[in-house]
Amino acid sequence: MLTGKRIILGVTGSIAAYKAAEIVRRLKSANADVTIVMTKAGMEFITPLTMQTLSCNPVYTETFVLQKDSRMAHIEVVKAADLFLIAPATANIIGKIAAGIGDDILTTIVLSAKCPVLIAPAMDSDMYENPIVQRNIAFLKERECRFIEPEEGELASGIIGKGRLADVDKIVSSVIDILVVKKDLKGEVVLVTAGPTREYIDPVRFISNRSTGKMGYAIAEAAKSRGAEVMLISGHSSLQRPKDVELINVVTADEMREEVMRNIERATIVIMAAAVSDYRPIKVSQDKLKKSGKDISMGFTEVPDILSEIGRNKGNRIIVGFAAETSDIINNAMYKLKEKNLDMIVANDVSDTDAGFEVDTNIVTIIDKDGIVAKLDKMPKKDVAHRIFDRIVNFKRRHLDSILR
Ligand code: CTP
């Protein structure tokens, strides 16, 4: 399964370091090319000789080592890597990574890594629960590091608590999840809307909102990477067109509605991530409005709600809406889920500085019509996009099962 994948395995000074030998063995039997990097403390628990023998590659333990051609070894190693797994990871190494410290081979490599970083902590439960350690973990999660939660059980100190390195099976399957992209949307046609709409007042002025399209574009990319055919209907956005996705640009809510209706027949999954205007000016001036020296007021009329319209004629499609809220998030989202006849709704608090508009992260709760509520931590929008599809795939499977039963 991992043929052609290059994995760096970082081993740090935890009693669980001996389990790193089994991790290498398992990754190697899945055909991965594994290179080991060890901290000094890691070498107190397991020898580089063991790791070298199992990995069949040189083990890196020193920062200042030149290769035959005078290139820094650690820089070359990380350039080619598909994944950097750190297992076991101590509180110390997590703290250093969070602080941007590079004072040994392992931390130096993490600082220059462009590949995904997956961290499996192992430590005493008092350390794991320490608010500083938890803050470091939360901080790194926001910056695209992924974590495999430690398990509860008897620890080296004799205490029973959470801190034991996750099971090797779980670590290996997390690696596979990251490196082997699921194609579980093969055969699906996903229609995604993204970005803001603009409602013109005159030829140069419009009302709009702060949406940038980041969430919708991340959804389109995730759907594509999981094997779907994707149509992206986007309001104004300066984001790059996602690769191999059909992009349809629109400006106003009416145009967005028209394009959604024109393309919906082909869609098996619809995700309305766009921030569509609710109102437009009743009268659009053909000429630029001039200053009059007096206050002005303007009449607005409601624009049709696209999601409600497709919810009324949904057929077998899965329809997912977003709920942009600033208060009573879950209740408001549940109301929209029911009112618009949706299968799922993604609720987010757009007043939070790290969620909603203009930022790369989001904090969402996904609610489906079966009443399953999943509150997600703060994470990059591209991870949110994958979580939404995980839930859609699950939802489809559940409903298919109940039809077949
Ligand atoms: N939506 C839509 N057409 C509109 C307005 C909204 O299809 N004219 C969709 C959005 O794309 C989103 C969902 O409806 O998926 C909810 O949008 P939101 O702005 O949160 O709520 P509204 O239904 O517009 O209600 P309100 O603004 O009163 O909260």
Side-chain angles (χ1 to χ4, degrees):
M1 271 184 118
L2 297 174
T3 305
K5 301 292 179 195
R6 295 179 179 190
I7 299 170
I8 306 177
L9 172 61
V11 181
T12 70
S14 151
I15 184 73
Y18 74 94
K19 293 186 186 166
E22 179 61 9
I23 298 173
V24 185
R25 208 188 55 76
R26 296 282 301 280
L27 295 176
K28 289 286 295 176
S29 63
N31 265 347
D33 179 8
V34 186
T35 300
I36 314 288
V37 177
M38 301 182 79
T39 61
K40 283 210 161 46
M43 289 187 284
E44 298 285 338
F45 290 91
I46 188 162
T47 68
L49 181 63
T50 305
M51 300 311 275
Q52 180 158 338
T53 311
L54 289 169
S55 69
C56 311
N57 270 327
V59 172
Y60 293 92
T61 57
E62 297 292 333
T63 313
F64 304 106
V65 174
L66 289 180
Q67 287 184 328
K68 276 193 236 96
D69 52 5
S70 299
R71 285 177 302 173
M72 296 295 279
H74 63 279
I75 303 217
E76 293 308 308
V77 169
V78 73
K79 258 197 218 157
D82 296 300
L83 177 76
F84 192 170
L85 166 67
I86 307 175
T90 56
N92 179 51
I93 210 78
I94 293 170
K96 280 196 204 171
I97 298 170
I101 294 170
D103 65 351
D104 61 16
I105 177 90
L106 198 153
T107 46
T108 315
I109 290 185
V110 182
L111 279 177
S112 44
K114 294 270 186 287
C115 60
V117 176
L118 177 64
I119 300 178
M123 62 195 78
D124 204 55
S125 62
D126 289 340
M127 285 168 100
Y128 186 67
E129 279 152 21
N130 185 306
I132 300 172
V133 174
Q134 286 302 315
R135 184 201 60 192
N136 289 338
I137 291 175
F139 177 78
L140 289 173
K141 277 186 183 168
E142 284 165 32
R143 275 149 192 82
E144 310 218 359
C145 283
R146 294 156 213 232
F147 279 79
I148 310 171
E149 265 198 51
E151 291 172 359
E152 297 235 7
E154 192 175 348
L155 302 166
S157 60
I159 296 176
I160 309 243
K162 190 169 181 177
R164 246 174 43 180
L165 182 71
D167 193 64
V168 172
D169 271 347
K170 204 166 161 197
I171 295 175
V172 173
S173 61
S174 301
V175 169
I176 290 170
D177 269 358
I178 294 173
L179 292 180
V180 182
V181 181
K182 293 179 232 148
K183 293 288 176 195
D184 51 3
L185 294 178
K186 212 169 164 53
E188 303 285 356
V189 180
V190 179
L191 188 157
V192 188
T193 66
T197 58
R198 289 175 169 182
E199 307 305 322
Y200 276 85
I201 296 167
D202 70 13
V204 294
R205 303 180 179 98
F206 53 81
I207 57 162
S208 190
N209 56 65
R210 289 169 45 218
S211 170
T212 56
K214 284 182 176 173
M215 192 65 247
Y217 278 57
I219 291 171
E221 270 163 21
K224 186 73 219 172
S225 74
R226 290 167 82 145
E229 183 189 329
V230 184
M231 298 179 271
L232 173 62
I233 302 177
S234 173
H236 177 84
S237 171
S238 46
L239 299 175
Q240 240 190 343
R241 172 205 196 102
K243 203 166 162 269
D244 298 328
V245 160
E246 185 188 345
L247 176 67
I248 302 166
N249 289 306
V250 295
V251 179
T252 64
D254 274 347
E255 286 174 19
M256 184 165 279
R257 179 186 166 278
E258 216 177 289
E259 289 300 338
V260 169
M261 296 311 163
R262 204 165 62 80
N263 290 289
I264 194 149
E265 273 312 310
R266 289 171 52 216
T268 57
I269 298 172
V270 180
I271 306 183
M272 283 287 299
V276 188
S277 186
D278 290 333
Y279 291 93
R280 67 172 133 72
I282 295 172
K283 215 171 130 251
V284 184
S285 171
Q286 295 304 309
D287 294 314
K288 185 176 167 229
L289 292 172
K290 293 286 180 197
K291 273 202 288 280
S292 65
K294 287 183 272 178
D295 292 346
I296 56 164
S297 59
M298 191 170 283
F300 285 93
T301 182
E302 222 175 285
V303 301
D305 192 292
I306 308 168
L307 197 50
S308 298
E309 198 173 334
I310 58 179
R312 281 194 293 273
N313 306 297
K314 66 200 282 286
N316 289 328
R317 269 169 222 108
I318 304 253
I319 311 277
V320 181
F322 267 71
E325 307 294 344
T326 51
S327 62
D328 205 6
I329 322 282
I330 305 298
N331 283 333
N332 281 330
M334 281 182 161
Y335 175 79
K336 286 177 189 171
L337 174 80
K338 221 166 154 227
E339 194 64 16
K340 302 194 188 199
N341 195 26
L342 310 178
D343 296 297
M344 206 172 277
I345 194 149
V346 183
N348 62 349
D349 182 348
V350 286
S351 62
D352 195 308
T353 45
D354 294 325
F357 298 141
E358 298 170 305
V359 288
D360 292 322
T361 51
N362 214 348
I363 309 168
V364 305
T365 302
I366 306 174
I367 308 165
D368 70 28
K369 72 170 181 197
D370 300 332
I372 300 179
V373 178
K375 195 170 184 324
L376 307 188
D377 289 339
K378 183 189 326 183
M379 62 180 77
K381 284 183 173 168
K382 75 171 183 212
D383 289 351
V384 174
H386 278 286
R387 296 298 187 88
I388 294 171
F389 284 117
D390 289 346
R391 302 237 141 226
I392 291 175
V393 169
N394 234 306
F395 180 89
K396 269 202 108 161
R397 209 169 285 146
R398 245 179 12 244
H399 282 256
L400 194 68
D401 281 354
S402 64
I403 291 165
L404 294 176
R405 235 180 278 133

